Amino acid sequence: MSSKQTSSARNRAERAIVTAAVSVWARDRTATLPQIAEAAEVGRTTLHRYFPEREGLLRAATEHALEVIGGAIAEAEPDKGHPLQAMRRVVAALASASEAIMFVFGDQSLVRDVVPTAEPDLPAPHDPVIELIRRGQAEGVFDDQLSAEWMQQVLWGVSYTAFEQVEQGTLAKFDVAATVTRTLEQGITAQSSGRAEAEQQS
């Protein structure tokens, strides 16, 4: 086997381990390395060759999960088209990355350990979802009486809850995007907000 083929095989094995870790730990954070090796369909010796310690695999899995989530959001092109349609694409994209989201947001300390905290005098990292929400607010589509950061947290929270319900068998996987979208649109669109205020005043 050539050095190029050997490198490719190593990359596939490492990626299989990391992907399996995200999937397994998304459902059971106490799962052992042997369980992950079984899910990745590799031997325990192979897993330990790449990740001798659990912490190393946790970090690699977190980095991979964040890449998956970021890639899914980027593919949704939140900066294009009508804000409401863009948000629906983002919701569908998050549904496609449900395992990664459940893994990362099941333990916020994972993100803190992997993503460095920005210095106070540096600009905040680019966040396409926040920018989408602010664009929607500027265009009168999303409620400008709520902060973009709050809406984003609602998006993550509702999505995570939907993914949990899929795991519990109380929500069908194919209903996730529609359920999350309906929940959000009833709560963050400017038009819905105006109707609710009018009803309260009447």
Side-chain angles (χ1 to χ4, degrees):
M1 182 181 292
S2 68
S3 60
K4 185 176 181 179
Q5 289 174 318
T6 301
S7 176
S8 178
R10 287 176 178 171
N11 289 340
R12 286 198 300 272
E14 184 174 3
R15 185 172 184 82
I17 293 168
V18 172
T19 301
V22 171
S23 179
V24 172
W25 277 333
R27 295 170 174 80
D28 180 7
R29 196 52 56 90
T30 65
T32 63
L33 295 186
Q35 287 176 302
I36 291 170
E38 181 179 357
E41 299 182 346
V42 301
R44 298 183 187 183
T45 303
T46 299
L47 185 147
H48 283 286
R49 186 184 309 135
Y50 291 103
F51 302 101
E53 302 293 337
R54 182 184 180 91
E55 289 305 312
L57 181 52
L58 264 175
R59 184 178 184 85
T62 302
E63 291 173 348
H64 174 67
L66 291 173
E67 289 176 1
V68 169
I69 297 168
I73 292 174
E75 287 184 9
E77 299 183 314
D79 59 331
K80 296 182 180 179
H82 190 280
L84 206 54
Q85 294 300 326
M87 181 60 79
R88 290 171 182 172
R89 293 196 302 271
V90 167
V91 170
L94 295 182
S96 73
S98 59
E99 283 188 342
I101 292 173
M102 288 187 70
F103 168 68
V104 170
F105 289 91
D107 183 354
Q108 288 291 297
S109 67
L110 293 175
V111 179
R112 289 194 296 270
D113 291 342
V114 170
V115 180
T117 303
E119 296 295 330
D121 56 343
L122 293 179
H126 169 69
D127 189 323
V129 177
I130 288 289
E131 292 182 2
L132 164 59
I133 294 170
R134 288 175 177 160
R135 179 165 69 88
Q137 289 174 318
E139 295 179 19
V141 178
F142 298 150
D143 189 352
D144 62 5
Q145 299 303 302
L146 299 173
S147 73
E149 290 76 15
W150 169 258
M151 290 189 197
Q152 183 197 47
Q153 289 302 310
V154 170
L155 167 62
W156 289 118
V158 173
S159 297
Y160 186 88
T161 300
F163 304 152
E164 281 189 320
Q165 291 201 357
V166 170
E167 290 299 313
Q168 295 166 5
T170 56
L171 179 66
K173 188 171 183 178
F174 59 80
D175 282 337
V176 167
T179 299
V180 173
T181 295
R182 180 178 177 84
T183 302
L184 288 174
E185 291 182 7
Q186 293 298 321
I188 69 172
T189 55
Q191 184 177 5
S192 293
S193 177
R195 285 201 303 268
E197 289 180 5
E199 289 173 358
Q200 291 176 358
Q201 295 173 359
S202 62

